[in-house]
Amino acid sequence: MAYSFLHSTSGDPELKVPEIGLGLKMRMEPSMSNGAMTIIETENAPGFGPPLHRHKETEIFRVLEGRYLYEMDGHRFYAEEGDLVTIPGGAIHAFRNETDKPARQLIIICPGLDATGFFSGLADVMKGGHADTAALNVFSKKWDIEFLGPPIS
């Protein structure tokens, strides 16, 4: 596996998807690891998280700040600041910020995913409201991501 030198700083630009309360900083594009991984840092607004979904990539979550409720294949559990959660590729999952202030995670996606393209497109699809599951799946087909339901309620 070939990795390129990278120095990601706290001043990196943030991509926002307000409809799901998401702020995202790209920390490592897949091109920096020959496609092996993507690293993103997310900030989730209180009570927010992504819709229930699945994809082939494994995700490794490190809770940097706050408390999250995760659901994976129907099993719910909490992750606190400092916890590490691995969601295997193919698992049905979602999560939600359980605090009354923004919560943050560092997420490693293996193999790499074009997160910049995906989340920029998601922001456009969801602009001004919540897209239904069918519309999300038409959009996300390019990334082989399947949306299966609403965010955790």
Side-chain angles (χ1 to χ4, degrees):
M1 228 180 300
Y3 288 87
S4 298
F5 172 77
L6 172 69
H7 178 195
S8 178
T9 70
S10 61
D12 287 347
E14 185 175 47
L15 192 155
K16 292 191 177 273
V17 187
E19 291 76 11
I20 58 171
L22 175 67
L24 176 139
K25 288 187 177 188
M26 179 58 60
R27 295 302 191 175
M28 177 188 274
E29 297 276 2
S31 61
M32 302 301 291
S33 65
N34 199 28
M37 71 174 67
T38 298
I39 302 176
I40 59 176
E41 185 177 333
T42 63
E43 182 174 281
N44 302 97
F48 279 89
L52 193 65
H53 65 285
R54 74 173 149 206
H55 44 74
K56 65 183 183 230
E57 296 83 8
T58 293
E59 288 181 290
I60 303 163
F61 298 85
R62 171 79 152 85
V63 179
L64 300 174
E65 187 177 344
R67 181 174 196 245
Y68 286 88
L69 172 63
Y70 281 84
E71 181 174 322
M72 185 186 82
D73 290 339
H75 173 71
R76 288 188 175 191
F77 59 95
Y78 291 96
E80 312 280 339
E81 188 173 315
D83 288 0
L84 185 80
V85 174
T86 300
I87 305 289
I92 297 169
H93 64 285
F95 56 83
R96 178 181 70 207
N97 174 3
E98 290 290 289
T99 70
D100 60 358
K101 59 185 180 179
R104 296 182 315 114
Q105 300 184 92
L106 186 72
I107 305 170
I108 301 170
I109 305 167
C110 301
L113 170 78
D114 174 17
T116 300
F118 175 77
F119 286 105
S120 295
L122 183 64
D124 290 342
V125 168
M126 297 190 88
K127 189 169 244 131
H130 295 283
D132 65 23
T133 301
L136 288 172
N137 281 322
V138 167
F139 154 73
S140 65
K141 193 172 191 168
K142 175 180 177 180
W143 290 273
D144 208 15
I145 296 173
E146 182 182 12
F147 287 95
L148 301 164
I152 296 174
S153 58

